[in-house]
Every structure is written in structure tokens, then in C-alpha cells.
């Protein structure tokens, strides 16, 4: 059976002086084996959507199901556990803990699940080698370039072999050549049991996804056309 994220009638609103519906009644199925890109102007709700899918934020109304199991947003401990096991998250920057080395940053999420220092450490080293940064294991984030930081962040997001990978403008702080390296890794993460969703301002990378989503006026617009 394919894994899936089903969102139904999701509304996310903020009440300030007036009510803003950032997400206005969105329903969609994200299917495993596919890569999704999300584009849209600043403030269009890309991060809001990704934060809901990360189970970090709570919708004002509507439901999210992961693999046919409905998320109870009241149950923070269970949701933290789902996130730790199933979801890898990469932000634009500041993904890493500054007081820990690259390999420690990568191994920590696995240590929390395995409780086995040596196996987690070995796994972290292997993943970092796979992304070509074996020579940076003991560097601290401040001793890594922006692109290297993001590659380590991907390794960290991957260590628990997540079914869902969410990246919120992962190359927003990088130049084009470094961004290309990051997207090469991200696009290679596609496999039949996994859903990869990334938000980006870069149309070149957005067009590489299997399914392109534009956020417009609180709605998701699915497009098969090239994004120009
Ligand atoms: N905590 C909050 N309180 C009020 N408004 C918010 C809050 N968080 C986000 N918003 C608003 O939600 C909208 C969408 O933000 P966001 O999802 O970050 O957009 P994007 O990632 O597409 O730039 C913005 O207009 C923003 O001002
Ligand atoms: Mg954002």
C-alpha cells in the first residue's frame, strides 16, 4: 500500500485586527513516490502549509491523515514521535545546533530513537560520507560553508529514513551552484515509499518536481505546466 498524506478542508487563520485566512479550505492528497514543489509569493502560506504537514503547527480546522491515520493535534507527544520517525525537515538556514559538530548534529535524532551511541554514530558517518562531506565530520556549523551546512542538514533530516521529507526554501540563502548541489541530493531522495515536498522561489528547481503547486489567495493550484 502506498503511503499518503491526505489533507481535507484545511483552514489556517490568524485573528489580528481582522481575520486573515492564510490557508482557505485546502484539500489534497500527497502520494508516495512523488516530489512536490510549492511556489508562491512571500506570505502566500508556503511555510504555514509545511509547518502543518510537519505537525509543528495546528490547523484552525480540517484534518490531516498520514498513512490513513488521522492526526490528533491535541496529542503533542504522539505527534513528536511521528515526526521523529517519519518526517525529515529542512529549513532555509539555522538547521544545525551550533555547539555540536556536523557528525553530532546528524547522529542526535537517531540516538533519541536507538539509544545506541555507536550504531547512531556509524550511521551518521555513513550518511555524511554519502553526501560527500566525510572530511567535515568534526567541523562545527560556523566552520562550514552555507552549502555544506545545508548538506549536513539534509543528512540530519535523513538519518531516521523518513517517509516524508519537507524542505522550506532549503536553498534560499545559497548561490545557484550550491543550490544545484542541494537539489541534486533532494531530487535523488525520491523513492516509491517516500513523499518529498519543497517550497522554493526558484522556478528552475520548482519545475523539476513531479507535481507543481502554486499557493494563491489561500488556495493550492496544481499545475502541470512549466512555472514561468
Ligand atoms: N503567528 C502569526 N500571526 C499572524 N499572522 C501570521 C503568523 N504566522 C504567519 N502569519 C501570516 O501568514 C501569512 C503566510 O505566511 P507564511 O506561511 O510564512 O508565507 P510564505 O512561507 O509563503 O512566505 C503571512 O501573511 C504572515 O504574515
Ligand atoms: Mg516561508
Amino acid at each position: 500500500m502506498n503511503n499518503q498524506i491526505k489533507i481535507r478542508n484545511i483552514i489556517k487563520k490568524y485573528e489580528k485586527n481582522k481575520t486573515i485566512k492564510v490557508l482557505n479550505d485546502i484539500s489534497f492528497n500527497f502520494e508516495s513516490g512523488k516530489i512536490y514543489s510549492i511556489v508562491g509569493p512571500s506570505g502566500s502560506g508556503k511555510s504555514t502549509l509545511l509547518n502543518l504537514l510537519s505537525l509543528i503547527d495546528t490547523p484552525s480546522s480540517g484534518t490531516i491523515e498520514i498513512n490513513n491515520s488521522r492526526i490528533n493535534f491535541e496529542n503533542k507527544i504522539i505527534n513528536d514521535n511521528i515526526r521523529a520517525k517519519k518526517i525529515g525537515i529542512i529549513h532555509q538556514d539555522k538547521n544545525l545546533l551550533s555547539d555540536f559538530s556536523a557528525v553530532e548534529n546528524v547522529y542526535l535524532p537517531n540516538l533519541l530513537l536507538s539509544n545506541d551511541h555507536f550504531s547512531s554514530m556509524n550511521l551518521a558517518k555513513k550518511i555524511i560520507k554519502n553526501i560527500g562531506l566525510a572530511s567535515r565530520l568534526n567541523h562545527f556549523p560556523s566552520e562550514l560553508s552555507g552549502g555544506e551546512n545545508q548538506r549536513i542538514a539534509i543528512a540530519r533530516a535523513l538519518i531516521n529514513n523518513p517517509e516524508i521529507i519537507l524542505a522550506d526554501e532549503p536553498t534560499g540563502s545559497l548561490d545557484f551552484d550550491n543550490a544545484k548541489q542541494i537539489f541534486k541530493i533532494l531530487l535523488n531522495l525520491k523513492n516509491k515509499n517516500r513523499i518529498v515536498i519543497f517550497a522554493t522561489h526558484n522556478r528552475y528547481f520548482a519545475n523539476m518536481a513531479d507535481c507543481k503547486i502554486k499557493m494563491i489567495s489561500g488556495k493550492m493550484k496544481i499545475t502541470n505546466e512549466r512555472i514561468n
Side-chain angles (χ1 to χ4, degrees):
M1 190 193 65
N2 273 5
N3 299 318
Q4 214 180 33
I5 309 173
K6 274 188 210 171
I7 61 176
R8 288 291 177 272
N9 307 109
I10 289 285
I11 294 177
K12 180 68 184 179
K13 59 186 176 187
Y14 292 107
E15 319 273 352
K16 289 274 169 182
N17 302 331
K18 57 174 192 166
T19 303
I20 315 168
K21 279 193 185 165
V22 178
L23 302 178
N24 189 2
D25 198 6
I26 287 179
S27 299
F28 190 68
N29 290 356
F30 295 92
E31 309 276 351
S32 60
K34 281 197 174 179
I35 299 191
Y36 297 83
S37 61
I38 306 178
V39 296
S42 267
S44 60
K46 302 181 296 296
S47 297
T48 304
L49 177 61
L50 288 172
N51 289 340
L52 292 175
L53 297 175
S54 310
L55 315 182
I56 291 168
D57 202 357
T58 307
S60 308
S61 63
T63 60
I64 297 181
E65 281 181 22
I66 298 181
N67 303 343
N68 296 316
S69 168
R70 183 167 162 178
I71 300 299
N72 175 354
F73 282 93
E74 306 284 303
N75 207 330
K76 198 175 168 320
I77 293 172
I78 288 183
N79 294 343
D80 287 347
N81 199 23
I82 294 172
R83 187 181 321 105
K85 287 189 176 150
K86 291 188 192 289
I87 307 177
I89 303 171
I90 304 141
H91 294 287
Q92 178 169 339
D93 47 25
K94 301 188 185 73
N95 286 288
L96 305 178
L97 301 165
S98 56
D99 293 338
F100 292 85
S101 67
V103 72
E104 286 168 342
N105 264 286
V106 175
Y107 112 116
L108 278 171
N110 191 256
L111 180 67
L112 291 174
L113 296 185
S114 76
N115 234 341
D116 180 337
H117 170 84
F118 287 102
S119 78
S120 293
M121 209 26 117
N122 284 334
L123 193 56
K125 285 178 184 167
K126 199 173 125 197
I127 293 175
I128 293 175
K129 277 181 193 145
N130 285 344
I131 54 158
L133 288 178
S135 60
R136 301 287 189 279
L137 289 176
N138 297 314
H139 286 229
F140 287 87
S142 62
E143 300 167 338
L144 297 168
S145 72
E148 289 166 347
N149 260 285
Q150 287 306 77
R151 280 152 77 191
I152 296 292
I154 293 177
R156 178 181 163 88
L158 283 182
I159 193 162
N160 292 335
N161 197 23
E163 294 164 20
I164 299 165
I165 294 183
L166 305 175
D168 192 355
E169 300 194 34
T171 62
S173 308
L174 302 179
D175 59 46
F176 187 68
D177 284 343
N178 273 296
K180 261 204 313 213
Q181 279 194 0
I182 297 297
F183 272 102
K184 193 172 167 208
I185 299 171
L186 275 179
L187 295 166
N188 271 330
L189 297 179
K190 170 167 155 165
N191 73 39
K192 66 182 189 332
N193 297 316
R194 185 175 270 163
I195 299 170
V196 179
I197 309 172
F198 63 83
T200 183
H201 279 294
N202 187 307
R203 290 163 191 155
Y204 172 82
F205 297 122
N207 280 320
M208 291 177 169
D210 301 309
C211 176
K212 292 165 265 183
I213 298 165
K214 272 189 190 176
M215 301 300 298
I216 298 172
S217 309
K219 299 283 190 194
M220 283 170 68
K221 184 168 174 251
I222 312 305
T223 170
N224 291 321
E225 297 147 26
R226 287 189 67 75
I227 295 169
N228 295 307

